[in-house]
Amino acid sequence: MTAQLAIFYTLALLIGTNTFGFVYSYLILNHNLFSKYRIQTKKYKSGILVQRLPLYLMNLLTLLILSGVGIYFCFPFFDTESYSLYVIVCQVLFAFIIDDIWFYFMHRIFHENNFLLRKVHSIHHRSSTPFPLEYLYVHPVEWMSGMVGAAFAFFLILLVMPINIYAFWIFGMLRNMHEIHIHSDLELPVISKIPFLSTTRHHDDHHAKLTGNYASTFAWMDSIFKTNFKQ
Ligand SMILES: [Zn+2]
Ligand SMILES: [Zn+2]
């Protein structure tokens, strides 16, 4: 596989998952298909998807550029030949754990530091009734800070072995889809019951109440540090 092909697949994957997020958001906002699964009862503001579009697109473009440039320069450190399930599962899990630890502390600091809360993180909290694409509605500084955990996880993997390109793609896709899911405001039958994964309600409560439930992928960091939102 060439670097150009790896970049092409990476960008196609990210554009694909975010197009899904856009269509999913459109359906939730404009049709009653999923309304019986909604957690909140508040109505959505009309035209909100279009109003939010500039920041969504800016953050998505940043993600595409950084991913493309990152793969271009780091391509020699990727293993594009191995399909070892063991290696792929281990790398994906490791990336999720490190990324989640980073996200928890970063997110908590964004709440506990008044300046960061007012100037940066408050943008994401304009969304008190989230819908899938709202995961992209964040200040660009927060957006880029959020990528540090995953980048650090793959750097740590690199100290031991090459980064498996399939593990990188699977992590990116699942991370993206989980963010879309936890911002959906929907408690879907099967997806909301996957063991270990944090639920939509966990993050929805964070958006509704502003304190507690700082973790993203798993909820265990909130349990360890006793920051679970208290009903
Ligand atoms: Zn927050
Ligand atoms: Zn959120």
Side-chain angles (χ1 to χ4, degrees), residues 7-70:
I7 292 169
F8 173 78
Y9 286 142
T10 306
L11 300 191
L13 193 88
L14 292 172
I15 291 170
T17 51
N18 283 285
T19 304
F20 166 78
F22 180 82
V23 174
Y24 192 23
S25 299
Y26 178 83
L27 291 175
I28 287 174
L29 292 171
N30 297 292
H31 297 276
N32 291 326
L33 278 173
F34 301 99
S35 52
K36 66 176 174 179
Y37 300 115
R38 279 199 67 194
I39 294 169
Q40 298 193 28
T41 48
K42 264 198 268 175
K43 277 195 169 158
Y44 298 112
K45 239 170 91 184
S46 79
I48 193 161
L49 193 58
V50 175
Q51 281 169 32
R52 305 282 217 218
L53 218 47
L55 188 54
Y56 292 159
L57 290 175
M58 188 178 145
N59 282 334
L60 180 58
L61 194 65
T62 307
L63 177 67
L64 296 177
I65 291 170
L66 290 179
S67 304
V69 171

Side-chain angles (χ1 to χ4, degrees), residues 7 18 49 57 59 63 68 74 88 94 105 107 112 118 134 145-146 165 181 219 224 229:
I7 292 169
N18 283 285
L49 193 58
L57 290 175
N59 282 334
L63 177 67
C74 299
I88 293 172
F94 181 77
F105 287 113
H107 191 191
E112 291 177 353
R118 268 189 300 113
E134 291 290 73
S145 310
I165 193 98
H181 169 60
I224 294 169
F229 172 71

Side-chain angles (χ1 to χ4, degrees), residues 107 110-111 117 121 124-125 142 203 206-207 210 212-214:
H107 191 191
F110 274 128
H111 277 269
L117 181 61
H121 193 52
H124 186 56
H125 279 284
E142 180 179 343
H203 196 63
H206 175 73
H207 274 265
L210 269 178
N213 292 9
Y214 300 116

Side-chain angles (χ1 to χ4, degrees), residues 37 181 187-195 197 199:
Y37 300 115
H181 169 60
E187 203 156 47
L188 296 172
V190 180
I191 305 170
S192 291
K193 300 211 168 13
I194 299 174
L197 277 190
T199 59

